[in-house]
Amino acid sequence: MEKKNIICVMVMAAILLGGIFILKNNTVSVAATKINVNIGGKNFTATLEDNASAKAFAKHLPESFNMSELNGNEKYKYLDYELPADEKKVGTIHAGDIMLYGNDCIVIFYKSFITPYSYTRLGKLDDTKGLKNAVTDSDVKVSFSKKRSRKISLNKTALKLVKGKKYKLKLKNAKTAKVKWSSRNKKVAAVNKSGRVTAKKKGGTTVTATYGKKMYKCRVTVVDKKTADNTAEKSQSSDIVKQETDNNSTSQDTIKEGKDMVLLINDTEVEVLWEDNESVREIEKMAEDKDISIAMSGYGGFEQVGSLGTSITRNDVQMTTSSGDIVLYSGSNIVIFYGSNSWSYTKLGKVINKTDEELTKLLSGSDIVMTIKFK
């Protein structure tokens, strides 16, 4: 009887251990969010917690303010906004801990000690070397900013080519082998698997570099030699690219031929580099059925605002806009900027063929009509 019990216990232990092993090996690791923290002029990196408080704080970055001294072990600052809190007794504070006290006080600890207080964890400095010297004995300036990754971008977002010529587009900071190239209208301009664009006939098209889940677009305009020569006589513009013909190029297109979605301000057509998101796709679908005309009114001396007439998908983020930015506000209003503003918007696109001065002249002074259509 005892022997049977021992066997059962061993079997159960094996099952439990196996279950633990399975759970452990099926744990999904979440990529940590890194930020930069400058304390008294010394740079540190920190890892944010995977919680609502830390995510909300990250949306406010960059932040910079003076933090006050307290108890010879911490610096604190009462924010002018509140964050979601989930306070718990932490027991032991470790040097480098970044905590939220209450729902609006951020604290950086520079010494380790035991505490009876409750906090919400925001993150922790990755390395505390030099922290004590950085904080000094009094108030200290602290800056928080998102850790910048190497920006991926096209070497050109607008390209003018003479018919028969070629130009090599490059997606900077991307792994070349993983970039997929395509042309919306290969009869106007084709692109091969390495990004070399071949100008076929007079007209316009969009060449797209797809990398992962993101798309990077370049507006390509093809002109004939006569037009190019006339342009060269009138100005010394260098945007007409004349490259040597490469007979070894082969085209690879994955997007069907079609029209481009264009934007008119009153009767002036402007080139737009549209975002690749659900909001833009819904606008495209609307514009395919019929032209979208929006009566817009000037506001604040830096933007024109008009109602789309319906609500569409939104994914608002805090941003600071610049001249030419086109955004969705509150899910149903389109805004085009000729100045700058900081607010929460969904980015739709950006005008790429007008200077700040040209946009100001085009958008300021009176109400306008914006038209979105396929051409």
Side-chain angles (χ1 to χ4, degrees), residues 159-176:
L159 177 65
K160 188 177 288 185
L161 281 173
V162 176
K163 180 182 174 182
K165 302 301 179 181
K166 300 178 184 290
Y167 183 81
K168 179 74 175 289
L169 285 174
K170 296 177 182 178
L171 192 60
K172 296 182 287 186
N173 296 321
K175 294 181 180 179
T176 305

Side-chain angles (χ1 to χ4, degrees), residues 18-29:
I20 292 170
F21 178 78
I22 291 169
L23 287 171
K24 182 178 179 181
N25 283 274
N26 280 280
T27 300
V28 179
S29 60

